[in-house]
Amino acid sequence: MFQSPKGMHDILPSEWPTLEKIYKAAKEVAEFYNFSRVETPILESIDLFVRGVGEATDIVEKEIFVLKTKGGDKLALRPELTAPVIRSYLQHGLHRLPQPLKLFYFGPLFRHEKPQAGRYRQFNQLGFEIIGGEGDPLYDAQSIIVAYRFLEEVRIKNLTVQVNSIGCRVCRPNYRRRLIDYYKKQKVCRDCTRRLEKNPLRLLDCKNTNCAQIKLGAPSILDSLCTTCKRHFKEVLEFLDEVNIPYSLNPHLVRGLDYYNRTVFEIFTEGNDLALASGGRYDYLAEMLGGRSTPASGVAAGIERIVETVRNEPVFQNQRIKPKVFLIHVGEVTKKKGLSLIEEFRKEDMPIFEVLGKDSLSAQLERAAKMKSPIALIFGQKEAYEESIIVRDMETGVQESVPLSKVIEEVRRRLK
Ligand code: HAM
């Protein structure tokens, strides 16, 4: 028997009500904070990620799924959506719209990671990007606020934000030097020996237990920030204080993507060491992709991690089924007429259940009870002949025959 590919999952009907609630909350939060929806293709040129996310990141080095088209182009299944959104912004000249442009998106992405709880090869993100404008620290704070409020909206409690600044083109080289000096004296893993050469900041991101221990003694980037970056960071924190968003400073937080500068952050809930949402400022990304300099900041939340967190919350468990009438038919003729009656109900925007594929009356009545339908409409041979239908109150069992032409009116009256 076939199985879904490793690390990739079906989303079954039972899971959709929870997801729908999450997406509804996302849309409401996006609308309130004035984000407009954008959608980009699942496939993009691989160079977009090599240049945008960075050649020496785990995402590009180890995790990207690449395919070759028949024409010989190399396309990647997107491993993240910030670079595609900026590609789209540049391609369509969206800088001509009022700035900053606030965009949000939902969608699947792909990373060839080692599958485990909360870490999949195909997963979904909800993202918010604030693009253009003046690079104001306010937008860094707003990226955190929108994600935080969304997580609160889906009833996730005990949220904490870890935040750091990784400086800019001016001050980061100093920090890199301090980091290299420190790490040269340590015995790190094979990957980190390579990182030391190619991308020293990534040393702080290593998951190896020994390297995690070494990281604790590494110099803090906050001591190396230039005056402008220090001021920017201070203002971000002041904005967070203003709206009572609790945060803690994590000077070793560097994130796994190379496009960030200044503020970076991750949002957690108590008892889970995988981030629910993460993001930061990325002022250089548009230039890295060949566009004009465009300050920006943003955040993305992992939908699967959110579902796993809220699944057992009572609001997500009690899925209320809206009461609907249930159409029961007896015989072939009524099956055909039943089908057209359903269309009549649709025209009137009145929901209706049916199992026209089942012929047994008792099986259909059983299903009507299971679906908690308050009314069953019983359509037998005699009724079809007389152009009438039986309306049965499912609670009392009382039945009444009404003309077919009046059934919608009658149901509407009873369901009022
Ligand atoms: P990221 O930290 O790679 O950032 O991913 C954002 C979120 O996606 C994570 O916080 C996590 O909830 C979820 N996530 C990441 N990897 C997996 C996985 N393998 N399985 C399940 N969930 C996962 C970005 O992608 C940036 N583009 C975020 C951003 C937007 N920065 C600025 N704007």
Side-chain angles (χ1 to χ4, degrees):
M1 211 138 53
F2 287 111
Q3 302 280 316
S4 61
K6 202 169 164 187
M8 302 187 181
H9 302 281
D10 303 315
I11 305 175
L12 298 175
S14 60
E15 295 164 78
W16 276 106
T18 304
L19 267 176
E20 303 277 10
K21 282 191 180 166
I22 292 172
Y23 285 133
K24 184 167 172 275
K27 279 192 191 141
E28 281 168 9
V29 169
E31 200 167 304
F32 180 83
Y33 291 108
N34 301 304
F35 285 80
S36 313
R37 186 159 177 183
V38 64
E39 193 165 317
T40 59
I42 306 275
L43 294 172
E44 295 274 358
S45 155
I46 179 163
D47 294 336
L48 176 67
F49 303 107
V50 172
R51 277 167 62 184
V53 174
E55 205 166 0
T57 56
D58 278 359
I59 291 184
V60 170
E61 254 183 3
K62 303 182 185 166
E63 298 167 4
I64 201 158
F65 285 87
V66 183
L67 58 89
K68 215 169 174 178
T69 66
K70 288 200 170 139
D73 294 333
K74 261 181 147 183
L75 296 178
L77 271 83
R78 60 187 188 191
E80 66 100 46
L81 272 101
T82 306
V85 167
I86 291 297
R87 193 259 316 127
S88 173
Y89 175 93
L90 296 171
Q91 179 178 338
H92 300 287
L94 300 186
H95 64 274
R96 289 192 289 266
L97 298 174
Q99 306 288 300
L101 188 63
K102 292 181 167 182
L103 299 175
F104 84 104
Y105 51 81
F106 304 120
L109 46 151
F110 304 82
R111 295 184 190 173
H112 196 270
E113 298 205 69
K114 200 165 153 224
Q116 50 188 285
R119 208 177 280 285
Y120 306 108
R121 291 186 176 171
Q122 177 179 340
F123 59 100
N124 289 277
Q125 278 186 351
L126 158 69
F128 299 92
E129 313 288 356
I130 306 177
I131 310 167
E134 316 74 21
D136 196 308
L138 175 80
Y139 302 139
D140 309 34
Q142 284 189 327
S143 303
I144 297 174
I145 293 169
V146 68
Y148 195 93
R149 296 294 178 230
F150 161 66
L151 294 171
E152 279 184 333
E153 201 60 35
V154 292
R155 308 286 209 283
I156 301 186
K157 295 181 207 87
N158 303 324
L159 293 167
T160 54
V161 184
Q162 289 194 14
V163 57
N164 191 23
S165 172
I166 56 167
C168 65
R169 282 172 179 157
V170 177
C171 55
R172 210 183 308 162
N174 293 334
Y175 180 64
R176 271 168 66 117
R177 270 192 295 277
R178 286 178 59 212
L179 205 58
I180 293 170
D181 286 348
Y182 171 77
Y183 270 96
K184 269 192 174 155
K185 295 180 206 129
Q186 313 295 329
K187 198 160 169 30
V188 287
C189 70
R190 270 232 316 265
D191 273 353
C192 279
T193 314
R194 222 169 15 85
R195 288 180 182 125
L196 196 53
E197 287 283 307
K198 286 176 99 176
N199 196 347
L201 232 60
R202 291 269 78 73
L203 287 159
L204 298 173
D205 219 18
C206 184
K207 306 286 179 294
N208 174 297
T209 3
N210 184 43
C211 295
Q213 206 55 36
I214 295 172
K215 177 171 88 170
L216 298 178
S220 159
I221 194 163
L222 295 174
D223 301 331
S224 301
L225 296 181
C226 61
T227 329
T228 330
C229 283
K230 254 187 202 147
R231 194 179 340 113
H232 185 101
F233 192 45
K234 186 169 160 276
E235 286 179 37
V236 174
L237 301 182
E238 283 169 2
F239 286 127
L240 294 180
D241 289 333
E242 186 63 32
V243 290
N244 296 321
I245 289 197
Y247 58 84
S248 56
L249 300 186
N250 177 356
H252 294 143
L253 177 66
V254 286
R255 311 269 301 116
L257 306 104
D258 276 356
Y259 49 60
Y260 292 113
N261 67 304
R262 292 195 171 153
T263 318
V264 288
F265 61 88
E266 295 192 325
I267 308 181
F268 296 86
T269 181
E270 207 176 282
N272 190 346
D273 54 8
L274 292 175
L276 294 175
S278 23
R281 172 160 288 284
Y282 53 95
D283 294 336
Y284 309 134
L285 178 57
E287 277 173 74
M288 284 151 74
L289 302 181
R292 55 166 65 199
S293 161
T294 311
S297 79
V299 58
I303 298 297
E304 284 70 11
R305 291 186 188 175
I306 292 172
V307 170
E308 279 156 28
T309 312
V310 301
R311 188 176 276 146
N312 297 324
E313 288 289 318
V315 262
F316 287 96
Q317 283 214 313
N318 307 331
Q319 310 295 353
R320 270 200 305 142
I321 304 173
K322 275 202 199 118
K324 287 186 189 179
V325 265
F326 203 103
L327 176 66
I328 292 172
H329 75 292
V330 189
E332 272 309 302
V333 181
T334 54
K335 191 186 272 185
K336 270 197 193 136
K337 282 206 166 183
L339 203 58
S340 61
L341 186 62
I342 291 167
E343 296 307 307
E344 293 298 313
F345 269 73
R346 202 191 76 79
K347 271 189 219 142
E348 295 296 321
D349 201 19
M350 291 176 68
I352 185 163
F353 283 128
E354 48 74 31
V355 274
L356 287 179
K358 275 200 193 308
D359 288 332
S360 140
L361 175 66
S362 60
Q364 294 179 75
L365 272 169
E366 206 175 290
R367 186 71 71 88
K370 207 171 189 175
M371 304 307 288
K372 300 202 167 40
S373 290
I375 297 167
L377 304 175
I378 306 172
F379 204 21
Q381 306 278 15
K382 179 167 161 279
E383 285 74 30
Y385 181 71
E386 290 173 355
E387 296 269 314
S388 68
I389 195 161
I390 294 168
V391 180
R392 177 189 173 99
D393 183 316
M394 288 295 285
E395 204 179 312
T396 60
V398 175
Q399 302 192 161
E400 184 189 343
S401 175
V402 299
L404 206 48
S405 58
K406 295 259 164 32
V407 65
I408 289 183
E409 215 175 286
E410 177 63 19
V411 168
R412 190 175 278 136
R413 189 185 65 75
R414 289 188 183 215
L415 286 183
K416 241 184 198 165

